[in-house]
Amino acid sequence: MSSPTHPGRRRFGGLLASTLGAAGAVGLPALAAAQPKPMPTPLPLIKPARLRQGDLVAIIAPGGVTDDEAITKAIHNIESLGLRAQLGANIRAVHGNYAGTVQQRLDDLHAAFRDPQVKAVWAIRGGSGCISLLALIDYGLIRNYPKILIGYSDITALHLAIASQTGLVTFHGPVASSTFSDYTVTQLQNVLMTPQPRYTITMSAENQLLAETQSNFAIRTVHGGLATGRLMGGNLAMVSALAGTPYAADFREHILFLEDVNEAPYRIDRMLCQLDLSVGFRHAAALMLGIFEHCEADEGDTSLTLDATVDQHLLPVSVPAVTGYSFGHIRHQFTLPLQILATLDTERQSLTLLEAAVT
């Protein structure tokens, strides 16, 4: 989730990674993380009402700036699901590369949750800037008027903050302007519109075909087994950025899921180190990594591969750990409800939701 990095930084990061070199093949010793604070008493879980045909969905831009083409696409996507779309008042605002000032973006978020006609709040895109809203959000409003919030990438900041401050289940899924596939729509509808008490998500067949030519789409089992825990995570850059804040992801005894895009291996290594030092991967119930798009080193860089970089962190732990699952900055993705109890089955390459995420 980064902009292009300075060549000197890339070279330095590559040299640092190559110094660690052979350790990437066998994994590094588990990091000596500071002893995490005692686990807080979890907030009561709040599940939003499920979406029904004809429901009104607010489209907002809480992060990066958007445009009319994306807005038109978002409206079409929502209407194709049998839903109605309503645009945030400030959705076309521009403030640098943000979709308006912090106050404008905050106003649209609050207005969407306050409106009794709106049944879901759907971010039109990620980008950057959501983190600036966190200290100003009216969490009491969201707690009192719970509804579905959907998005991924930078929207991870909202997911984690709302989870930690309200207990509301939110949804790491496509943004409103995504290019939907049949797989994406099916997974979205099954989680948000036709909930089941137990629902097994299998990986996208289209992604498995892509794996034949794109190694980052390949499913890898680093540590096999079954693991049950509540889902927590999102975009790696945002999860690591919030470590040490009141909105951090406490993934102890959780299935931690992570994905990212446009990050060099040395940056991924640094962010994974940050999470391991702050909480400790060994305390997770399982580690489930999605598809990291455009995250290999540039040609000619001295660097570990993406897989070798990730394995430095996955190999030392004893919990189930997988990579290449069907979520991330990709077309064919499944929807992950944060805080919902689930079981990861590495042999079947599946994730089973053990409860409905909506009422």
Side-chain angles (χ1 to χ4, degrees), residues 10 13 89 94 143 151 185 199 266:
R10 285 202 302 268
V94 178
R143 191 182 304 111
V185 170
Y199 176 58
Y266 81 91

Coordinates of all heavy atoms in Angstrom, one line a residue, residues 10 13 89 94 143 151 185 199 266:
R10 N 15.5 1.2 -1.4 CA 15.3 -0.1 -1.9 C 16.6 -0.9 -1.9 O 16.6 -2.1 -1.5 CB 14.7 -0.1 -3.3 CG 13.2 0.3 -3.4 CD 12.6 -0.2 -4.7 NE 13.3 0.3 -5.9 CZ 12.9 1.4 -6.5 NH1 11.9 2.1 -6.0 NH2 13.6 1.8 -7.5
G13 N 17.5 -1.7 1.7 CA 16.6 -2.8 2.2 C 17.0 -4.1 1.6 O 17.0 -5.2 2.2
A89 N -22.4 13.2 0.7 CA -22.5 14.6 0.2 C -21.2 15.1 -0.2 O -21.1 16.0 -1.1 CB -23.0 15.5 1.4
V94 N -12.1 17.2 -3.0 CA -10.7 16.9 -3.2 C -9.9 17.7 -2.3 O -10.1 19.0 -2.2 CB -10.3 17.2 -4.7 CG1 -8.8 17.0 -4.9 CG2 -11.2 16.4 -5.7
R143 N -22.0 2.6 17.6 CA -22.5 1.6 18.5 C -24.1 1.6 18.6 O -24.7 0.5 18.6 CB -21.9 1.7 19.9 CG -22.2 0.6 20.8 CD -21.5 0.9 22.2 NE -20.1 1.2 22.1 CZ -19.6 2.4 22.4 NH1 -20.4 3.4 22.7 NH2 -18.3 2.6 22.3
G151 N -15.3 -2.8 2.9 CA -14.2 -2.2 2.2 C -12.9 -2.9 2.6 O -12.9 -3.8 3.5
V185 N -19.0 -11.9 -6.0 CA -20.4 -11.6 -5.7 C -21.0 -12.7 -4.9 O -21.7 -12.5 -3.9 CB -21.2 -11.4 -7.0 CG1 -22.7 -11.4 -6.8 CG2 -20.7 -10.1 -7.7
Y199 N -20.8 -21.6 7.4 CA -20.6 -21.4 5.9 C -19.1 -21.6 5.6 O -18.2 -20.9 6.2 CB -21.0 -19.9 5.5 CG -20.6 -19.6 4.1 CD1 -21.1 -20.4 3.1 CD2 -19.8 -18.5 3.8 CE1 -20.8 -20.1 1.8 CE2 -19.5 -18.2 2.5 CZ -20.0 -19.0 1.5 OH -19.7 -18.7 0.2
Y266 N 11.5 -6.0 1.5 CA 12.1 -5.5 2.8 C 11.1 -4.7 3.6 O 11.1 -4.7 4.8 CB 13.3 -4.7 2.5 CG 13.1 -3.2 2.1 CD1 13.1 -2.2 3.0 CD2 12.9 -2.9 0.7 CE1 12.8 -0.9 2.7 CE2 12.7 -1.6 0.4 CZ 12.6 -0.6 1.3 OH 12.4 0.7 1.0

